[in-house]
Amino acid sequence: MEWDWYTRPEDYIHVDQRYAQAYSYWLEQLTTANVTKIVVENGYMYGSLTLDYEQLEREPQKIGHYFIGPDFLWTIGFDDLHHESILAKQCDSPIEAFYELLAERMNNYFHGIDEFEERLMAAQREMTGQVPATFMNEIFGLRSEIERWSDTVTPYKELVMAGREAFLTIDLQQLKSYQLADYRVSRLLTLINHYQEDVIAMTDLASTLSNFRGNEIMKALTVFTALTTPVVAFGAVWGMNFKHMPELEWPLGYGFAWLMILLFTLIIQVWLKRKNWIGSLLQFPNQTTSTKHRAKTKFSKNEQKFGIMKEK
């Protein structure tokens, strides 16, 4: 089958009148389309595609434009290197060449996904040690990056599906280039979905860890406040400027004051410990059975068992 591949807008002189209106609309969008755009018609499709991974600092994005028909293919903005390599494969149809082009583009994305995986694994190992204060910012950066990867690869999946819609009379599954593009986009999306779940799990874990540490800090401050309450209370009482305060004239008044402060501090500490409010937040009251109690319970069970065996 003979078909033509055009890479310059001025080649519009070769446009068949059946596609003239659609081609004019597509050509007008070349300078304004900065996002993915797919238009599917009966027997042809056209639009724009983000070619590079969407870095936030890169403006404008590199956009490729395409127009595919049964016997022609227009691509503008795609790398000449891919164009030459696909021409060398001598594709039998423009559809086969186009999906070969998509497969080549997606093959480059695996390198970026591998680099992301290395940073993700490093962040996961970092969580097993001393987590730095900037760790949450690192996780948010990973989450933003994997979301941009998803936004970059998803249009390729849409193009694979749109091909079946545009060319209903052609069994695209028989084309090896179409199968390759389908397999690669599925593999990319599988990796992206897996890494998205990992990042979400890390975000939840980091948030839980942050909340736990905040609760530990608040608990420590609360315990400290409770233990210093006697000092504050007795200091406030004996610091009042009343003229008649018998304790101030006692020979042992100073020692009595310290004794009262230490006694009430000790009482508060014992009370907090009996309530199990001093210690780790993850140690629940029903899990704090003492070692002596567990040993005594075990001994009682063994004694009962031995007594039963003796009776037999």
Side-chain angles (χ1 to χ4, degrees):
M1 174 183 177
E2 293 185 1
W3 61 280
D4 298 310
W5 190 345
Y6 307 110
T7 59
R8 298 177 300 175
E10 53 268 24
D11 290 331
Y12 70 93
I13 56 175
H14 303 287
V15 176
D16 192 294
Q17 292 299 318
R18 293 176 297 173
Y19 314 109
Q21 184 177 358
Y23 181 80
S24 299
Y25 171 76
W26 172 68
L27 193 61
E28 291 173 359
Q29 303 299 316
L30 291 181
T31 57
T32 59
N34 293 322
V35 294
T36 298
K37 187 178 185 66
I38 301 176
V39 180
V40 179
E41 300 291 348
N42 185 17
Y44 63 96
M45 65 179 183
Y46 57 91
S48 303
L49 180 67
T50 301
L51 298 180
D52 288 339
Y53 163 67
E54 295 184 357
Q55 299 283 356
L56 289 179
E57 64 271 15
R58 178 179 294 175
E59 291 292 344
Q61 300 293 334
K62 185 176 181 181
I63 305 295
H65 311 278
Y66 56 89
F67 197 115
I68 316 162
D71 55 358
F72 65 89
L73 172 63
W74 260 288
T75 57
I76 300 175
F78 290 83
D79 293 339
D80 294 336
L81 181 62
H82 292 303
H83 180 264
E84 295 175 359
S85 63
I86 294 172
L87 281 179
K89 295 181 180 180
Q90 298 180 352
C91 298
D92 295 332
S93 67
I95 302 172
E96 183 179 357
F98 179 69
Y99 283 106
E100 189 73 43
L101 180 62
L102 293 185
E104 290 286 340
R105 292 298 312 175
M106 285 185 286
N107 192 43
N108 296 332
Y109 292 159
F110 287 105
H111 301 291
I113 290 292
D114 291 340
E115 294 177 359
F116 175 84
E117 181 184 9
E118 293 178 1
R119 293 194 298 274
L120 180 62
M121 296 300 106
Q124 289 177 337
R125 290 192 297 269
E126 193 174 3
M127 291 191 71
T128 61
Q130 184 67 29
V131 181
T134 59
F135 187 69
M136 285 298 293
N137 292 335
E138 184 177 352
I139 293 180
F140 290 148
L142 289 173
R143 186 166 186 172
S144 176
E145 184 176 351
I146 196 62
E147 290 298 331
R148 295 199 303 274
W149 270 115
S150 178
D151 293 339
T152 302
V153 176
T154 299
Y156 286 83
K157 181 65 175 179
E158 185 180 0
L159 272 175
V160 171
M161 299 172 66
R164 295 196 296 267
E165 181 182 351
F167 306 103
L168 295 174
T169 59
I170 302 175
D171 187 5
L172 298 183
Q173 292 294 342
Q174 299 298 322
L175 301 178
K176 292 184 178 180
S177 62
Y178 181 87
Q179 295 178 8
L180 182 61
D182 191 14
Y183 293 154
R184 284 183 177 175
V185 72
S186 297
R187 185 155 64 102
L188 281 171
L189 290 177
T190 300
L191 291 173
I192 290 172
N193 292 335
H194 173 71
Y195 295 145
Q196 282 178 324
E197 294 176 358
D198 283 352
V199 172
I200 291 174
M202 290 177 61
T203 303
D204 295 339
L205 182 58
S207 178
T208 301
L209 180 61
S210 177
N211 293 334
F212 174 74
R213 287 182 173 178
N215 292 336
E216 284 280 10
I217 293 172
M218 293 302 299
K219 177 184 176 182
L221 294 176
T222 302
V223 171
F224 177 79
T225 302
L227 292 177
T228 57
T229 297
V231 178
V232 177
F234 286 113
V237 171
W238 290 320
M240 293 185 292
N241 297 321
F242 290 109
K243 293 182 178 181
H244 302 287
M245 295 187 69
E247 299 92 333
L248 298 180
E249 298 177 1
W250 291 356
L252 301 177
Y254 181 75
F256 174 76
W258 272 110
L259 180 62
M260 295 294 293
I261 291 173
L262 293 177
L263 177 62
F264 277 95
T265 301
L266 181 61
I267 291 173
I268 292 175
Q269 183 179 6
V270 172
W271 179 72
L272 290 175
K273 195 171 184 63
R274 289 177 64 88
K275 290 289 187 179
N276 196 38
W277 292 348
I278 297 179
S280 175
L281 287 177
L282 297 180
Q283 188 177 10
F284 297 100
N286 58 355
Q287 298 176 345
T288 57
T289 307
S290 64
T291 305
K292 183 184 294 185
H293 179 71
R294 289 196 299 268
K296 184 178 179 180
T297 303
K298 183 177 181 181
F299 177 78
S300 299
K301 291 181 178 179
N302 292 336
E303 188 178 26
Q304 293 175 2
K305 182 178 179 181
F306 180 77
I308 294 172
M309 293 176 62
K310 188 175 181 181
E311 290 177 0
K312 291 182 178 179

